[in-house]
Amino acid sequence: MLYKESRFQEFDGTTIWLLTACFILIVLVLMIFGWILNCKSNFFFNTIIIIATLCAIPHVIFSIIFLLGIFVLPLDILACYLVRWYLRGGAKYQPEVKPALKMKIKLG
């Protein structure tokens, strides 16, 4: 009994892959709730968003390579929009509103 295996020695790439996927999903859900509630972003949350985005890059590349990315494409587009929205300031960011087109209707 020179070498005793422990459960911590099985911390391999699959475990890291699953942990980063869980982290990405948690951040995405928080971003969706913050967007719905129109919350302002701060430096701490922006840092977490950037870390989650960097963690998501290998997952996105993997899904594109194995053609699974087409099924999550709407979620990827939403995530890109939310990252852009949060990094611009969240609720403080007001997109440009185009002036309404006024039409005069003559009756008679």
Side-chain angles (χ1 to χ4, degrees), residues 35-96:
W35 179 57
I36 291 171
L37 299 174
N38 206 18
C39 296
K40 296 178 182 177
S41 64
N42 56 19
F43 178 74
F44 176 71
F45 199 62
N46 284 347
T47 306
I48 290 176
I49 289 172
I50 291 171
I51 292 170
T53 303
L54 293 175
C55 289
I57 291 171
H59 292 273
V60 171
I61 292 172
F62 181 80
S63 67
I64 289 173
I65 289 173
F66 290 104
L67 300 175
L68 300 173
I70 193 126
F71 298 116
V72 292
L73 189 60
L75 185 62
D76 289 340
I77 293 170
L78 175 66
C80 290
Y81 171 76
L82 289 177
V83 167
R84 181 175 170 242
W85 187 76
Y86 271 101
L87 293 182
R88 287 189 173 208
K92 294 185 285 187
Y93 166 66
Q94 296 297 325
E96 289 183 21

Side-chain angles (χ1 to χ4, degrees), residues 9-53:
Q9 291 173 343
E10 296 183 19
F11 196 73
D12 57 350
T14 306
T15 307
I16 294 172
W17 188 265
L18 292 174
L19 286 176
T20 57
C22 289
F23 174 68
I24 293 165
L25 288 175
I26 289 170
V27 171
L28 184 62
V29 168
L30 289 176
M31 285 173 38
I32 291 171
F33 281 133
W35 179 57
I36 291 171
L37 299 174
N38 206 18
C39 296
K40 296 178 182 177
S41 64
N42 56 19
F43 178 74
F44 176 71
F45 199 62
N46 284 347
T47 306
I48 290 176
I49 289 172
I50 291 171
I51 292 170
T53 303

